[in-house]
Amino acid sequence: QVQLVESGGGSVQPGGSLRLSCLASGRALSGKAMAWFRQAPDKEREFVAARGGSADASQYGDSVKDRFTITRDKAKNTLYLQMYELRPEDTAVYYCAASLTTGSPVRASWMYTVWGQGTQVTVSA
């Protein structure tokens, strides 16, 4: 059984940076896609970024492209999300997710069946 634990959230001023981490434990996820999603109050869950399992391909949501970078350290079983130029609209709970079926960095949340508990990111002056 796979467990995902996010860390690195917090409060930051607009224009600031944060790095989120997601540690995977349990069953090996090598070759499987992992992703970040976020959900703000009263809004639907939104795709942020995904990383492929083997080819290291990545995909980003339109609102974070060119500001966020997703990376993966397979030796450490850890997924990262480096966030730059943060904006108030980036405020949300950020969730790490893993797919057990695909290695492609897909956007669809239903393709990810393992989820972390989430970490809060707040961007305000």
Side-chain angles (χ1 to χ4, degrees):
Q1 186 173 358
V2 179
Q3 289 186 323
L4 304 176
V5 179
E6 302 98 333
S7 61
S11 296
V12 64
Q13 293 185 340
S17 302
L18 279 176
R19 188 178 80 156
L20 305 183
S21 300
C22 172
L23 175 64
S25 61
R27 172 180 168 180
L29 291 172
S30 59
K32 297 299 186 287
M34 295 184 71
W36 290 96
F37 290 80
R38 67 186 183 186
Q39 188 164 21
D42 300 322
K43 291 189 177 181
E44 294 187 353
R45 183 166 48 191
E46 177 188 13
F47 169 76
V48 175
R51 187 81 172 179
S54 57
D56 288 335
S58 300
Q59 188 167 189
Y60 294 90
D62 292 341
S63 63
V64 306
K65 195 178 297 184
D66 299 327
R67 297 189 298 123
F68 291 9
T69 301
I70 187 171
T71 57
R72 186 171 180 173
D73 187 330
K74 294 178 182 177
K76 294 182 179 179
N77 293 323
T78 302
L79 182 75
Y80 301 98
L81 184 69
Q82 179 67 56
M83 305 183 291
Y84 298 102
E85 300 177 23
L86 283 162
R87 305 166 180 169
E89 53 264 40
D90 294 318
T91 295
V93 177
Y94 283 70
Y95 297 92
C96 174
S99 173
L100 300 181
T101 55
T102 183
S104 298
V106 296
R107 293 173 173 251
S109 61
W110 61 269
M111 290 292 292
Y112 298 92
T113 53
V114 183
W115 293 79
Q117 82 288 353
T119 185
Q120 176 71 45
V121 172
T122 302
V123 185
S124 68

